[in-house]
Amino acid sequence: MTSTLDLRVRALTWEAEAVLGIELVPTTDGATLPAFTAGAHIDLHLPTGTGDCVRSYSLMNDPAERHRYCIGVNRDAASTGGSAWIHSQLRPGQVLQVSAPRNNFPLDNSAAPAVFIAGGIGITPMLSMIRTAVAQDTRPWTLHYAARNRAAMAFVPELQALARRDGATLHLHLDDEAGQVLDMAGLIAALPAGAHVYACGPRPMLQAFEQTTAGLPAERVHLEYFGAREAPATAGGFTVRLHRAGRDVSVAPGQTILDALLATGLEPLYSCQEGYCGTCEVAVLSGVPEHRDAVLDDAEKASNRRMMICCSGSRTPVIEIDL
Ligand code: FES
């Protein structure tokens, strides 16, 4: 488990149908929080009473702010844990354990045009990116924001104000009014020359995004999954060699590497356990991982130098990692 900060819920706001805005502040007046960059997320450790419930949420406030973290939480209709607990139990004044920010979805460093594509609650990392683009004042940007209907579309007045301030274009797409989902192929075909394109949203949207951007240079395509992208590798039947600990641990069928390490009393860092937060990333010293995460890009996976032990397995009988 990662070390955490104690943060107080200062405010809860109803932002759209099933979307709560949450402002978290230090418990000590005047304290500053660890800095973050646009696209970063934090992990909330939620006292749901059903074991360790950790959920990752993107920061949506201005990264220049050091006095608070702001997130948006969509109530997942199928949720019995994290988002349902937040919507029904969390109250202003409550103190939560929160990880320091991590960023698996950064803005590129260039001034190239940015095209942001958000679906539903996937708008939250785009908000911090857009605030950064507005502050930089050098990066032209466009936002395509889709939701199933108008009631479910959060933060629209704020986005409109940011777009007006920066002379940017905001395209709002309502599935029910358009009678169809966002035309991803048309949107990608019309990208400005040299643009970097960023997407965050539900799995079908991101799958369409991955398919339609397959021909673009990888360094211009950026996406973030919330939740597992693939099933974890649990075939087992291999040994994980812990270089620093100087010991071998067998990974049995049905286990992930993380499961096997925890079962032997070891305490590696982890959080989401679904391959998208990056907390459990380790260096690979020998052997070939079977990658199942949504953190590493294709080139990083092909290099076989790093892996996420919560979901990825091994293609070799022994895999040695830097733990
Ligand atoms: S714990 Fe989140 S990627 Fe492994």
Side-chain angles (χ1 to χ4, degrees), residues 270-280 295 308-311:
Y270 68 95
S271 177
C272 73
Q273 301 184 64
E274 292 190 58
Y276 64 87
C277 76
T279 306
C280 69
V295 176
M308 305 300 141
I309 58 170
C310 70
C311 60

Side-chain angles (χ1 to χ4, degrees), residues 160-206:
Q160 288 171 328
L162 287 162
R164 267 196 307 275
R165 189 170 145 196
D166 222 17
T169 309
L170 179 59
H171 298 281
L172 303 181
H173 176 95
L174 300 168
D175 293 351
D176 65 343
E177 291 182 15
Q180 61 178 46
V181 298
L182 196 65
D183 174 17
M184 189 66 74
L187 196 161
I188 297 300
L191 286 179
H196 282 246
V197 59
Y198 299 80
C200 186
R203 189 187 309 265
M205 170 188 271
L206 292 185

Side-chain angles (χ1 to χ4, degrees), residues 40-97:
H41 69 266
I42 52 174
D43 298 333
L44 267 50
H45 295 255
L46 302 172
T48 58
T50 55
D52 190 30
C53 181
V54 183
R55 294 291 183 272
S56 298
Y57 297 101
S58 293
L59 293 169
M60 62 184 190
N61 54 311
D62 186 337
E65 295 181 344
R66 297 294 300 276
H67 66 291
R68 63 176 185 162
Y69 293 148
C70 296
I71 59 174
V73 177
N74 180 58
R75 181 169 188 153
D76 180 349
S79 171
T80 54
S83 68
W85 186 89
I86 286 172
H87 274 252
S88 61
Q89 303 295 321
L90 192 65
R91 295 288 179 271
Q94 211 160 332
V95 174
L96 289 177
Q97 289 187 307

Side-chain angles (χ1 to χ4, degrees), residues 257-277:
I257 293 176
L258 178 64
D259 292 336
L261 299 187
L262 293 173
T264 58
L266 293 160
E267 295 184 336
L269 296 178
Y270 68 95
S271 177
C272 73
Q273 301 184 64
E274 292 190 58
Y276 64 87
C277 76

Side-chain angles (χ1 to χ4, degrees), residues 103-115:
N103 199 340
N104 301 325
F105 188 43
L107 266 178
D108 76 291
N109 289 323
S110 73
V115 175

